[in-house]
């Protein structure tokens, strides 16, 4: 029988069998966790272990270089002067519950020189105000690290603070509107229940003036976003939803004020405040959907480390900001530290955590010569890399830019909904005039009330929210599953796609061909032939180059030209060579291998083998189950393409395809009425990616392919493509549902209101419920994406 697993009392990780660190009645995985627990008990903060709902992080304070945080350039850029000292906002990934925030607050408060501290378990942020004359920032961070909370620099702090400030303003407006609506409805109820007019007039007037007082801040403070929106629409010389909202609210408010002053029969303060309150609630739900996607931008912005360790020419090291790094610099990354720039791994294999960039939950093993990306985290052993891209040129920055661009897109369907909404408002205003004069002839005392109810209940809020709310939730869902949309109508087209065409190398295969056999046919031996191929392929960027990466190149190739779908041609040691397809490089008919020749004669034949991606078969099966017809189009020989197609169960196969051939195949499918999605990763795929109805580029592929694509998969997993199709189809279905609901609601509500069967406050309730309904329907996307991720 196996011995029970003993978990660390502090971090919850398994304790090594036979080697626990004991302290009192508890076992710990290491001395760091034991020391943290001992300090917590000595500081009389032992309640932390009773209150927490999640384990702390493992303590690794001895691995961190926190003295860098005391450097003046960091403090000048990322902290600000306050009365008595300085203030900085940090991030930590270990604050998992309110007990963690409680512990951090009290632990830092006990440190000398700390003026104030606030830890937020929701955002993972810690605000520290300290006196630099009494203590160093690094000493406070050592205390955090000793407890298992590793500090990070909040480089996206400006964006986060702006969003939090905006959220607080909206919450305050919503709170004022909620309280005002509650009070107004209580006072209005007393007036409504006086059906026999037995209430004394002074009492009635007192209730009306009290309602006026509680309604005023709701209309002009809580309702300010709608008033400001109406002003913007008028400056742009068009009427829209904000004009109708603000106009109806002001109409109800000022008409009620006039009736209050002259002692009229009815007032409508309750309708005005209810209108504002419920619409604010709907707007905040829409903002929540948008923030799901913008949080991805913030996460990417925060992935930059504080300092980079650069290796000088004499082997010594210096600590510099990441902005000081240049291409070809050698950077040393300690275990547990973030990678500051894109680069090539110099020494042996190392593991990197790439979850933020690719969505892969497990560390990825990188070999010497492979690319390592900024924003990833080096795991168990340190690594050295040569910088290949910095700043905005890194993949991290490019992904952040893609996400930012995706948030600003307004696809044609959203623009159509806006146009319909504007025309609807104009038509509604005309209808309201007719209804008013009609009721003036029939029942003059109810003309204003019926017209107000009509304007309120038929406000096209649900129509205006139906598409943007779904798109915001869809972009957030895509970001969580590792796909970024870069074109306005990508989601809608992907949802309608009927056929999906895959490239082979680097898309369905792992992109790392291996040499199986080498045959030389002239006086050029196999080793020399491999050196020629390695020289030609060295800077081609094609995945085949990885099959010759281990070959020592003695002479660099000159005048190298890449011919799409054929191969590479160049001069090596004064001789012109071609490597690629057999008919092009060696004038031979051989689909099963890569040939080296001069265009007329073949001198060496290379048999390469590619392994399908681990999830390729599963992804193909899922896509086929979704009703997608799968095609494989590759520039490789027929034997290799058919072998991969048989492994994955693909029937529609085209081999030896040039970019023009692939594009022609896509055009042929489109001529048959099919909607074609193309998935590729290479330079050669850029034309067909641009020509397909919708295209997806793999994140590890060529930048040109990503620029031509409508969507970019940030990691190597093909299953995220199936997830993107599912999300796109669900979002299209939700848009249709929202538009149908909006149309059906207005078709029912407008006649009822025009017939005088709806009071203004019920109209406000009905309109707001319709807006909430479309927003909550859109948020189903967030729930389904979370379930998929789980």
């Amino acid at each position: 029988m196996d011995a029970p697993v003993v978990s660390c009392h502090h971090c919850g990780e398994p304790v090594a069998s036979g080697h626990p660190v004991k302290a009192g009645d508890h076992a710990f995985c290491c001395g760091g966790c034991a020391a943290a627990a001992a300090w917590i008990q000595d500081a009389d903060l032992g309640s932390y272990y009773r209150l927490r709902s999640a384990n702390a992080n493992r303590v690794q304070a001895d691995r961190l270089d926190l003295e860098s945080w005391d450097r003046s350039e960091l403090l000048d850029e990322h902290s600000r002067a306050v009365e008595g000292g300085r203030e900085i906002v940090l991030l930590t990934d270990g604050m998992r519950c309110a007990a963690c925030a409680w512990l951090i607050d009290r632990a830092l408060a006990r440190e000398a020189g700390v003026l104030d501290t606030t830890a937020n378990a929701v955002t993972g942020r810690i605000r520290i105000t300290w006196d630099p004359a009494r203590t160093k920032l690094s000493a406070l961070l050592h205390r955090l690290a000793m407890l298992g909370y590793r500090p990070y620099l909040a480089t996206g702090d400006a964006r986060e603070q702006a969003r939090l400030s905006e959220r607080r303003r909206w919450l305050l407006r919503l709170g004022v509107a909620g309280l005002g609506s509650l009070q107004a409805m209580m006072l209005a109820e007393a007036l409504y229940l006086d059906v026999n007019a037995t209430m004394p007039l002074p009492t009635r007037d007192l209730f009306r003036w009290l309602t006026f007082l509680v309604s005023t801040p709701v209309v002009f403070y809580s309702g300010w976003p709608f008033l400001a929106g109406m002003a913007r629409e008028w400056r742009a010389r068009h009427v829209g939803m904000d004009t109708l909202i603000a106009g109806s609210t002001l109409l109800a408010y000022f008409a009620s004020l006039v009736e209050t002053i002259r002692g009229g029969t009815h007032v409508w303060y309750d309708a005005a405040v209810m209108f504002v309150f419920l619409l604010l609630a709907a707007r905040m739900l829409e903002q929540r959907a948008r923030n799901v996607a913008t949080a991805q931008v913030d996460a990417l912005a925060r992935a930059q480390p504080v300092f980079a360790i650069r290796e000088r020419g004499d082997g010594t090291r210096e600590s510099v900001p990441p902005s000081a790094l240049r291409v070809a610099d050698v950077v040393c990354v300690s275990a547990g530290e973030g990678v500051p720039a894109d680069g090539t791994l110099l020494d042996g294999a190392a593991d990197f955590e790439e979850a933020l960039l690719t969505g892969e939950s497990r560390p990825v093993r990188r070999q010497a010569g492979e690319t390592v990306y900024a924003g990833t985290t080096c795991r168990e052993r340190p690594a050295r890399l040569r910088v290949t891209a910095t700043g905005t040129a890194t993949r991290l920055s490019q992904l952040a830019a893609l996400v930012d661009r995706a948030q600003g897109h307004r696809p044609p369907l959203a623009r159509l909904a806006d146009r319909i909404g504007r025309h609807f408002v104009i038509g509604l205003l005309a209808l309201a005039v007719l209804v008013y004069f009609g009721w003036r002839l029939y029942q003059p005392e109810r003309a204003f009330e019926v017209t107000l109810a009509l304007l309120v209940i038929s406000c096209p809020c649900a129509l205006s929210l139906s598409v943007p709310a779904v798109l915001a939730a869809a972009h957030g869902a895509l970001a969580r599953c590792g796909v970024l949309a870069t074109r306005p109508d990508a989601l809608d087209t992907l949802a309608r796609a009927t056929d999906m065409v895959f490239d082979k190398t680097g898309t369905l295969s792992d992109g790392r061909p291996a040499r199986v056999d080498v045959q030389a046919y002239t006086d050029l031996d196999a080793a020399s032939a491999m050196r020629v191929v390695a020289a030609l392929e060295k800077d081609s960027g094609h995945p085949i180059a990885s099959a010759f990466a281990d070959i020592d190149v003695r002479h660099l190739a000159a005048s190298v030209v890449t011919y799409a779908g054929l191969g590479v041609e160049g001069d090596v040691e004064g001789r012109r060579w071609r490597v690629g397809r057999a008919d092009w490089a060696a004038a031979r008919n051989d689909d099963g291998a890569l040939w080296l020749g001069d265009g007329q004669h073949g001198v060496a034949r290379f048999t390469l083998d590619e392994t399908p991606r681990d999830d390729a078969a599963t992804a193909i099966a899922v896509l086929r189950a979704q009703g997608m017809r799968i095609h494989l189009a590759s520039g490789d020989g027929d034997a290799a393409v058919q072998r991969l197609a048989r492994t994955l169960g693909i029937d529609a196969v085209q081999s030896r395809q040039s970019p023009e051939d692939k594009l022609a195949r896509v055009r042929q499918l489109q001529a048959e009425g099919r909607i074609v999605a193309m998935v590729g990763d290479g330079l050669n795929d850029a034309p067909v990616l641009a020509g397909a109805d919708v295209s997806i580029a793999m994140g590890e592929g060529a930048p040109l392919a990503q620029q031509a694509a409508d969507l970019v998969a940030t990691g190597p997993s093909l299953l995220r493509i199936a997830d993107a199709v599912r999300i796109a189809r669900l979002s299209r279905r939700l848009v249709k549902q929202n538009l149908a609901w909006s149309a059906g609601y207005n078709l029912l509500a407008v006649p009822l209101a025009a017939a005088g069967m709806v009071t203004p406050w019920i109209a406000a309730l009905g309109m707001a419920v319709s807006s909430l309904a479309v927003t909550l329907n859109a948020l189903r996307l967030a729930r389904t994406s979370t379930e998929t991720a789980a």
Side-chain angles (χ1 to χ4, degrees):
M1 182 176 178
D2 295 337
V5 177
V6 179
S7 298
C8 176
H9 177 60
H10 183 71
C11 70
E13 292 192 11
V15 174
S17 178
H19 302 284
V21 177
K22 301 289 289 187
D25 297 330
H26 302 294
F28 299 90
C29 62
C30 62
C33 287
W39 185 90
I40 291 172
Q41 293 294 341
D42 292 342
D44 198 24
L45 298 174
S47 298
Y48 160 72
Y49 292 107
R50 176 173 52 83
L51 297 172
R52 67 180 181 176
S53 58
N55 291 319
N57 276 5
R58 184 171 183 172
V59 176
Q60 297 177 323
D62 56 336
R63 296 188 180 184
L64 303 180
D65 175 23
L66 298 175
E67 277 64 34
S68 304
W69 291 75
D70 295 326
R71 295 177 58 157
S72 58
E73 56 262 47
L74 181 144
L75 295 177
D76 291 343
E77 182 177 356
H78 297 288
S79 69
R80 65 187 185 96
V82 297
E83 185 178 354
R86 300 194 69 83
E87 180 181 277
I88 192 170
V89 178
L90 311 172
L91 290 168
T92 182
D93 57 2
M95 193 168 17
R96 296 170 179 154
C97 63
C100 294
W102 176 85
L103 176 64
I104 290 172
D105 277 341
R106 280 154 182 77
L108 290 177
R110 294 170 184 265
E111 297 294 314
V114 173
L115 306 178
D116 189 25
T117 177
T118 304
N120 188 320
V122 177
T123 63
R125 291 176 175 261
I126 307 169
R127 181 180 56 81
I128 303 174
T129 306
W130 82 105
D131 181 0
R134 297 174 58 194
T135 185
K136 293 182 178 180
L137 178 60
S138 60
L140 307 180
L141 301 187
H142 271 296
R143 176 61 64 200
L144 282 177
M146 189 273 288
L147 296 174
Y149 303 104
R150 177 178 178 172
Y152 295 89
L153 192 62
T155 53
D157 187 54
R159 181 198 294 267
E160 179 70 14
Q161 290 299 324
R163 188 166 65 239
L164 287 176
S165 178
E166 181 70 11
R167 179 176 173 79
R168 282 193 292 268
R169 283 196 296 270
W170 276 82
L171 283 173
L172 183 58
R173 286 194 172 102
L174 184 65
V176 170
L179 290 173
S181 298
L182 180 63
Q183 297 298 321
M185 291 301 295
M186 289 174 60
L187 294 167
E189 184 180 8
L191 296 174
Y192 286 139
L193 292 177
D194 184 29
V195 292
N196 296 320
T198 58
M199 181 182 292
L201 290 180
T203 304
R204 185 201 68 177
D205 291 342
L206 174 64
F207 280 9
R208 288 184 175 182
W209 282 111
L210 288 174
T211 311
F212 164 75
L213 291 176
V214 298
S215 300
T216 300
V218 175
V219 171
F220 293 102
Y221 174 71
S222 298
W224 178 252
F226 307 117
L227 299 175
M230 179 178 69
R232 286 193 297 271
E233 290 176 353
W234 285 11
R235 284 196 296 269
R237 297 184 179 180
H238 73 83
V239 292
M241 182 175 64
D242 284 338
T243 295
L244 200 54
I245 295 171
S248 301
T249 303
L250 292 175
L251 189 61
Y253 175 82
F254 283 112
S256 299
L257 178 59
V258 171
E259 291 294 287
T260 300
I261 294 172
R262 72 182 188 91
T265 306
H266 298 289
V267 292
W268 303 275
Y269 293 116
D270 53 333
V273 296
M274 185 71 70
F275 200 30
V276 172
F277 171 64
L278 294 174
L279 277 175
L280 279 175
R283 287 274 177 102
M284 288 198 68
L285 280 175
E286 184 198 3
Q287 285 183 347
R288 178 191 169 194
R290 294 181 184 278
N291 288 340
V292 168
T294 56
Q296 181 81 356
V297 180
D298 295 337
L300 291 169
R302 294 196 297 260
Q304 190 83 347
V306 182
F307 279 97
I309 305 300
R310 182 167 59 190
E311 188 176 284
R312 297 188 181 99
D314 59 2
T316 60
R317 298 178 178 181
E318 60 177 339
S319 179
V320 298
S323 58
L325 294 177
R326 298 293 180 266
V327 173
D329 282 350
V330 175
V331 174
C332 303
V333 184
S334 303
E337 292 291 334
V339 177
D342 291 357
T344 304
L345 191 62
L346 294 179
D347 300 326
D351 294 331
F352 293 87
E353 184 69 55
E354 300 183 349
L356 185 61
L357 291 180
T358 68
E360 297 295 328
S361 59
R362 292 172 295 182
V364 178
R365 172 62 58 91
R366 296 294 181 188
Q367 305 292 335
E370 291 189 325
T371 300
V372 178
Y373 297 108
T376 60
T377 302
C378 184
R379 290 297 294 260
E380 304 302 323
R381 52 162 294 178
R384 294 172 65 248
L385 56 98
R386 188 175 302 280
V387 175
T388 57
T390 63
T392 57
T394 64
R395 187 171 178 223
L396 175 72
S397 298
Q398 291 168 357
L399 287 179
L402 281 176
V403 179
D404 253 340
R405 190 169 65 181
Q407 305 313 305
H409 284 158
R410 290 190 62 77
L413 193 58
R415 295 195 294 270
L416 176 62
D418 287 344
R419 286 197 298 272
I420 293 174
R422 286 197 293 272
H423 292 308
F424 181 83
V425 169
I426 295 172
L428 179 62
L429 293 174
L431 177 62
V433 173
L434 295 176
V435 168
Y436 177 78
F437 284 109
W439 275 89
R440 288 287 298 177
L441 296 174
Y442 171 64
Q443 197 172 347
E445 68 275 8
R446 292 199 62 202
F448 180 81
E449 178 181 298
V450 172
T451 305
L452 178 61
L454 174 65
L455 289 172
V456 171
I457 202 170
S458 55
C459 179
C461 298
L463 176 64
S464 298
L465 289 172
S466 57
V467 179
V470 172
L471 291 177
H475 281 304
L478 284 174
R480 280 192 296 275
C481 76
V483 178
L484 305 177
T486 64
R487 299 288 189 273
D489 53 352
L491 272 177
D492 183 62
T493 310
L494 182 62
R496 295 183 289 110
T498 59
D499 293 62
M500 187 165 287
V501 180
F502 283 90
D503 178 43
K504 180 176 78 75
T505 303
T507 303
L508 289 177
S509 71
D510 60 7
R512 298 172 184 172
R515 295 193 312 274
V516 176
D517 184 42
V518 182
Q519 296 174 318
Y521 295 96
T522 64
D523 55 349
L524 190 71
D525 59 64
S528 299
M530 287 192 291
R531 282 195 293 271
V532 172
V533 175
L536 290 171
E537 293 280 359
K538 183 175 178 61
D539 297 314
S540 68
H542 193 275
I544 287 177
S546 64
F548 300 90
D550 61 330
I551 304 299
D552 181 32
V553 177
R554 298 180 181 177
H555 301 279
L556 296 177
S559 303
V560 177
V561 181
T562 299
Y563 294 93
L566 298 175
V568 179
E569 183 178 25
D571 296 328
V572 180
E573 295 187 75
R575 185 174 177 181
R576 195 69 174 172
W577 293 102
R578 289 181 178 182
V579 59
R581 265 172 41 178
D583 58 341
W584 178 76
R588 293 178 179 247
N589 184 20
D590 181 2
D591 286 336
L594 180 78
W595 276 84
L596 174 67
D598 59 8
Q600 302 297 324
H601 306 91
V603 299
R605 181 181 188 273
F606 302 89
T607 303
L608 306 180
D609 188 33
E610 287 185 274
T611 304
R613 292 183 186 267
D614 294 339
D615 60 354
T618 304
I620 295 298
V622 173
L623 287 167
R624 192 174 281 119
Q626 292 174 336
M628 200 77 72
R629 287 174 53 181
I630 306 300
H631 306 259
L632 174 58
S634 173
D636 293 349
D638 187 64
V641 176
Q642 290 291 347
R643 186 164 57 249
L644 183 68
R646 285 193 299 271
T647 302
L648 300 178
I650 301 175
D651 299 323
V653 181
Q654 290 83 35
S655 57
R656 301 183 68 175
Q657 298 282 293
S658 67
E660 292 77 16
D661 295 332
K662 293 180 184 179
L663 185 57
R665 176 57 179 163
V666 167
R667 297 293 190 216
Q668 179 184 351
L669 291 171
Q670 291 170 333
E672 297 172 2
R674 315 296 294 181
I675 298 176
V676 183
M678 176 70 195
V679 185
D681 79 320
L683 283 169
N684 298 342
D685 296 324
V688 69
L689 286 171
D693 294 291
V694 62
S695 53
I696 305 172
M698 303 304 291
E700 295 181 333
L704 183 59
Q706 296 180 13
Q707 293 172 14
D710 302 306
L711 300 105
V712 176
T714 60
S717 173
L718 290 171
L719 284 172
R720 64 191 66 207
I721 295 176
D723 286 339
V725 173
R726 178 186 58 80
I727 291 170
R729 290 179 176 176
L730 178 57
S731 66
R732 180 175 171 80
R733 188 161 65 248
L734 292 180
V735 165
K736 289 182 177 179
Q737 291 174 1
N738 284 353
L739 291 175
W741 165 263
S742 304
Y745 164 80
N746 280 295
L747 287 174
L748 179 64
V750 170
L752 289 176
M757 301 175 65
V758 181
T759 62
W761 76 268
I762 292 179
L765 183 62
M767 185 283 311
V769 167
S770 70
S771 300
L772 288 170
V774 298
T775 305
L776 291 173
N777 194 37
L779 289 175
R780 288 168 52 196
L781 273 167
R783 184 170 64 253
T784 56
S785 68
T786 302
E787 292 169 357
T788 300

